[in-house]
């Protein structure tokens, strides 16, 4: 379903997990495990789904069990971007019980959050299946987790909008107001941008769209337009620019937007409106003193 | 409504904002602002609410505008933990337009997320108003943001469960299974814990509750019990331990749980099930070349 | 002797060692070893005790030899919390001589310091053996090393007081003065604290003790009381709260304090007044060009 | 008393304080202050000495009160390296009570530790006053605090030995054994070292001393020699090299060592054997609600 | 000369300067200044050019003098991207002499390096003046300094190629070989990329160029073609894609390349082949004891 | 050719590589490889020289391929400090193609830069072969890379001047002016410095040289003197101090300087004036789907 599976850079994964372990273990570590579990106790666990969904973030789970200490094995049974059924086993874990218990919450907090995003993205993507439109995300992401959340969007079959303020230009109404016109803003952006920096311009009206196209725009964001306007925009555009619909996108309306013929539909819902997918760790501890 | 307003440690705020600015500005900064806005352009902005809610995270907003560069002023019009109406102005911002625009998304991503948690927590807290029960959170939080999300819970009138594995003992079913009995697990915890470390023990049945109380437990988590069982637990307890109900808590059931007489109701819903509060920055840019 | 052996979180150990190696190796590394030792030189070494004591910190020693470079083996002959006699071998080390020499001082600076704390703590603990009292530490620790020093206290048979300002409430005279009374301060703390946050209150007099107990205090610090007063405090308390004696605790007085019947005796002596235990690395280098 | 007052690099001070505040405030900050003190409460405090000593570390104290939050003023009444009498006021502090209380322990843990080192160093320095010898430190320092402890040694009138393995060469018995002879080791070091890298060589016997001098050594460490041997070494040296006595140095023996005519006496006692100087913060809190 | 002056994100500037100060000051700071200069000594200095060039990096110079300690003033006399003549004053600095001397080398190492890049870029840019071509950089930059070096390129009138592997796709010969054909590689990239990710494809021959254009390529890198081939490529392209010439670009050949009609000429020479611009700090120290 | 091969501390290597990978991979990693290369594609590559030179930095190359992810093997065919001919193979690399491609630029940017420094240093060193003089570097290095660049100088047969302001004293004209005389400045430095801190003093004239020698200077920098003056300085010195010539050193003049009899010739040319050595990675990718 993925063109090619994407990959999270390893250093991002490791630093995120080290920070999260520090957050959850503090200066004294898992007091309960130290109090109740012998250092020799052994845990065998399965990470399983309590509900159907799309998995994202197994590299983070692996890193949590690898970095918490020595001796925990982790065997994924599925790869990111694939569907798990309710009751399905996502991964097997075994190792010293204290370590398994210490990393459990960190692992789950990541994978449940990211799989929730992947799952909701897939629902949006499924809604528009068969149309020309792709679902994409926004910069409305959780601070510190953008790389992971955008990766989860890809796992769910969505596409990524720009990652940050520095990797593409997006001219909004404020910028246009300052520049004086759509044309002036677009020309200023062209003059500034390197040749690999994409420029997108947001328009509020069909007149602005026409001005943007005349100025040479190749990517246009149609801001908060209803479906009628979107259809007219598509007609005016006549294939010249890529068109992105944005604003007020909800799951029950997204197909009708897609059917207007736009190329992209962006929504913060897939990152900000998702619920964690309910995955849990079923643990059996033995070999105790 | 707050006993005393809580406070976020400054170093946490600053390091979170520096990380988030790095995430959003990358190596080249806000390309669009550099392309379209003169360095002399000046922005006047108001942070305002598009819907009613409880505000949390203004220190983070202040830090975003302070750390993005020199010369941005930030004047809060309200303090964390208070209610804002739809259309209400939360803060005023003014400064060099490039800087205001560069920090906007970082500021909003924090304050909208945290105010969403505070707002939902307040709804839960309002539901149980007049009963003995307090709403509290769990360790199901967004990795890297736990301090802030738990702060938002306090802003919303909730209480905090333990922050991490190292600041209290919570004995769960797995631990009890390993230890052999509720009593054995509790005694092991008592033997290990320092005198300022609280010990909570999770029980699945009334029999386990009685055993825990007999072992000296002062805080007991009643796991996934229905309201009838909770009422019986309250009766058995007879004020000896603090009782926490957990599992399957939803907004429409929470009052009935509270009315069983438990002391605390913990739920991951308030942190994991909230939606961002819709706050936006209304910007006017002038003074341009 | 330990209820259960405690464990240092791995990420704390690794980051402390990386910092310490950076401190001692700087930008050019161990110049002497590079000048005099061939890269092929091989070292065989034993970490041995020049005096009797209790060992703490072997995970840090292991990490120093693991993180300084590839190829050094480390085999502990004893585990933390156990006694070593003068002349006893604590661990065996072998590897490339340059690496062994480069990590030696970092390893020793940690293990000698922490074993010194464990050893002194054990002397205090032995003094009060047979009484009800436990020895515990304070927040008077070396900046940056608190987690390790408190771990060493546990290795020595002591208990930990709170780790930091954020994991328990300790109401002192200043707070009481501001609040207006013992009762007011205690009630403010109760209203603020989450249900897993312990509250301790410091009292200067028996009258304050009675007020604290009446207010519901479960943990009371008896500040700088002589043994007579402590005995009276124990009598007044009649088992209601845990009592902690603090102030002016010295090794030659600690048993008499314990015999007053208090539950805890806290002292900064065990962390701030210890001397490093004299462990050294006996190295033989061979296999040189 | 100081040739010129030394200075701690600002970035070291700030990063050490930020780490220490993080260690003591954790994710929730000072719970007690938040519970009991109004955000408007104001504290006036004096940092005063409970015993006579030499002060070191006031830049760290200043940074603790500056970095904990906005609005705390700090006015030193003395500068590092100077003597304070029992009861003397070292600095005045005033500001929001929550902030003053939150930074208190961090500030004291640094300044008491460092002033303890400065005070003990001064005692050693006073012992050898009038002789040719200078007291100096070693690399036996607390991990993470070496820069500060060596600074405290300078404040106490001591001199610094090398800071780390990378800023000077110190050839020890192991290196000599590997090289085959004192001469071979010294020549290897000379061949390797840059022209600003000092080379010191440790000798166990007078014969080794003579060999080292013949090889051109300009700095020689006389390891664990008694005073008779030291006197002979001084005579043999006849001013050619700087001589450092090391090993078994104690306060009651140090003058007799100095009177042998050596140039330097190095001892880990001044860093590892000191006790914290007893400085405390006398706080008055007012202006409360 | 700049369309709009670009700006370095503040957090990048501050962290780079803090790292560089740590590198140059180490644990003991500037020993020479501490030895010879009184803490009261005052320095007045001017940063001036010993040769003509284009300035880049004044924000870094400002940060070096701001972060080294309190009390140094910095007044730039020119802004980045502008030309300074030999002997011209770039900035005025005054403050405590120890601090000025401590930050001098860090400040110069940055500004001289970056101004060298800006100056050489300007020479390339001047060579192609009047043609259609823009000079741009590559990813051959100094590790850790890419953001600053690419900023210096902009200051010199150059444009930036992609910053990193994550902000644009550049399909090279290896990728084409693996994909099987130019077309297959381009289609794979289109399928994977988000709509704001630019795709450039490198071609070795005119046949590959035609295939790339047929596949829809909008940005094509002409690898190591001589001017004749470049001219033919421009003719074949007929304005469809942006064309970038790369490989073997030297200052004395760049104009002839530009005159072939390509849109961009990329070269690592401007970042890797520049020499530091010779700026120095002329310091007068007075006010000494 | 190296007295003993030097070694880079491992923690420096790893943190530099992690930073560089973060710089080049950003939040989304290598988009091109993800788009075009299957996760199963396998790369076999050789790092080879396109020109003759001296290699430096292979530990960094190894770390780049080790830290980018699991499964890449790296086999050096040569060690740092040795000469490679044009076409010579420096190392073999094989592993998952995505990982090899992702780390390529980071690896090359380091090794090419450092080998360029080593190669140029060797040219200077070869020029002075047979004389008494050694070539050494300065503090004019790239911010953040000083440890590596000074290591490359050693690989090229040069010696290192001081690494930073904290590891030796270098009294310059400004310091002398403030102190009042060469003698006063030197005496101040002697009084301040620890016994392992070397003191070098810069002189402009032969009169200053004589004053410095009279004051006891053992290392003297002869600033910007022509060869006649240098010869006279050598004669005056008569072997008392080490003499360093500095200023205006170029490759075509360096031998004549060396023949004046000075001990050291320092120049920023070897670090700031080098060009990257042209090493490239020849990659073959196979095993694709």
């Amino acid at each position: 379903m993925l063109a090619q599976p994407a990959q999270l850079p390893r250093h991002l994964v490791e630093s995120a997990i080290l920070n999260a372990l520090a957050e959850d273990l503090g200066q004294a570590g898992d007091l309960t495990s130290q109090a109740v579990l012998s250092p020799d106790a052994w845990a065998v666990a399965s990470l399983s789904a309590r509900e159907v969904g799309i998995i994202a973030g197994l590299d983070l789970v692996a890193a949590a069990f690898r970095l918490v200490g020595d001796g925990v094995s982790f065997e994924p049974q599925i790869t990111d971007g694939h569907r798990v059924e309710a009751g399905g086993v996502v991964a097997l874990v075994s190792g010293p019980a204290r370590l398994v218990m210490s990393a459990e919450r960190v692992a789950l907090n990541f994978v449940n959050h990211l799989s929730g995003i992947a799952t909701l993205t897939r629902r949006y993507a499924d809604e528009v299946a068969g149309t020309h439109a792709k679902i994409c995300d926004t910069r409305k992401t959780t601070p510190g987790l953008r790389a992971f959340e955008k990766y989860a969007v890809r796992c769910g079959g969505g596409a990524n909008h720009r990652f940050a303020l520095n990797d593409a230009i997006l001219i909004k109404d404020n910028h246009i107001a300052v520049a004086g016109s759509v044309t002036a803003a677009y020309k200023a952006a062209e003059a500034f941008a390197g040749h690999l920096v994409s420029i997108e311009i947001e328009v509020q009206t069909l007149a602005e769209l026409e001005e943007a196209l005349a100025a040479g725009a190749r990517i246009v964001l149609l801001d908060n337009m209803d479906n009628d306007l979107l259809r007219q925009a598509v007609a005016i555009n006549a294939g010249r620019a890529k068109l992105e619909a944005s604003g007020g996108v909800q799951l029950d309306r997204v197909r009708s937007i897609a059917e207007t013929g736009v190329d992209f539909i962006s929504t913060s819902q897939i990152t900000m409106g998702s619920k964690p997918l309910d995955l849990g760790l079923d643990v059996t501890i033995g070999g105790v003193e």
Side-chain angles (χ1 to χ4, degrees), chain A residues 203-206 209 221-236 243-250 253-262 264-265:
Chain A
V203 300
Q204 318 290 325
T205 64
L206 298 178
L209 170 61
L221 186 151
L222 306 167
D223 188 37
N224 262 319
M225 293 188 180
D226 63 23
N227 293 0
D228 270 351
L229 276 174
L230 290 174
R231 259 184 297 269
Q232 295 178 55
V234 169
I236 288 169
L243 296 183
E244 172 187 340
S246 188
V249 177
Q250 299 289 346
R253 186 192 155 214
V254 70
R255 183 163 190 92
S256 69
I257 298 175
E259 290 173 343
T260 64
V262 295
F264 295 94
I265 303 172

Side-chain angles (χ1 to χ4, degrees), chain A residues 3-233:
Chain A
Q4 289 279 11
Q7 240 169 333
L8 280 168
R10 185 188 180 92
H11 69 279
L12 283 188
V13 169
E14 298 214 339
S15 66
I17 289 299
L18 286 173
N19 286 342
L21 288 172
E23 187 182 58
D24 204 26
L25 292 170
Q27 300 188 44
D30 179 355
L31 293 181
T32 313
S33 292
Q34 292 175 71
V36 182
L37 303 178
S38 155
D40 301 327
W42 193 257
V44 173
S46 63
L47 176 65
S48 62
R50 279 72 159 116
E51 58 180 327
V52 62
I54 306 298
I55 296 299
L58 288 179
D59 276 0
L60 290 150
V61 177
F65 289 113
R66 179 174 72 244
L67 296 175
V68 74
D70 284 335
V72 184
S73 82
F74 174 80
E75 297 171 40
Q77 305 297 303
I78 191 177
T79 54
D80 279 0
H82 289 92
R83 178 190 185 93
V84 65
E85 302 301 322
V89 174
V90 174
L92 301 176
V93 181
S94 64
R98 285 182 172 190
L99 295 180
V100 172
M101 300 303 284
S102 293
E104 175 191 17
R105 178 57 34 218
V106 164
L108 292 178
N109 281 353
F110 271 111
V111 73
N112 292 9
H113 178 64
L114 297 180
S115 299
I117 290 173
T119 302
L120 183 57
T121 302
R122 181 62 52 87
R123 292 183 62 193
Y124 274 84
D126 286 349
E127 278 294 311
V128 304
T131 72
H132 180 61
K134 282 190 185 169
I135 299 298
C136 63
D137 52 33
T138 67
R139 280 169 48 248
K140 294 182 182 172
T141 57
T142 311
L145 299 187
R146 187 173 287 167
F148 305 113
E149 294 182 346
K150 286 191 170 259
Y151 169 80
V153 165
R154 295 197 298 277
C155 289
N160 294 145
H161 210 287
R162 64 175 174 170
F163 269 66
L165 292 167
N166 70 314
D167 62 1
I169 287 179
L170 176 47
I171 304 167
K172 298 192 180 173
D173 51 355
N174 270 314
H175 302 106
I176 294 171
V178 170
S181 72
V182 161
T183 306
Y186 193 79
K187 294 300 181 191
E190 273 196 327
F192 182 83
H195 66 296
L196 289 177
V197 173
S198 294
I199 303 170
E200 180 166 12
I201 187 160
E202 179 184 301
V203 300
Q204 318 290 325
T205 64
L206 298 178
E208 283 189 345
L209 170 61
E210 296 196 34
E211 185 179 349
L213 292 169
R218 292 185 156 184
I219 317 173
V220 180
L221 186 151
L222 306 167
D223 188 37
N224 262 319
M225 293 188 180
D226 63 23
N227 293 0
D228 270 351
L229 276 174
L230 290 174
R231 259 184 297 269
Q232 295 178 55

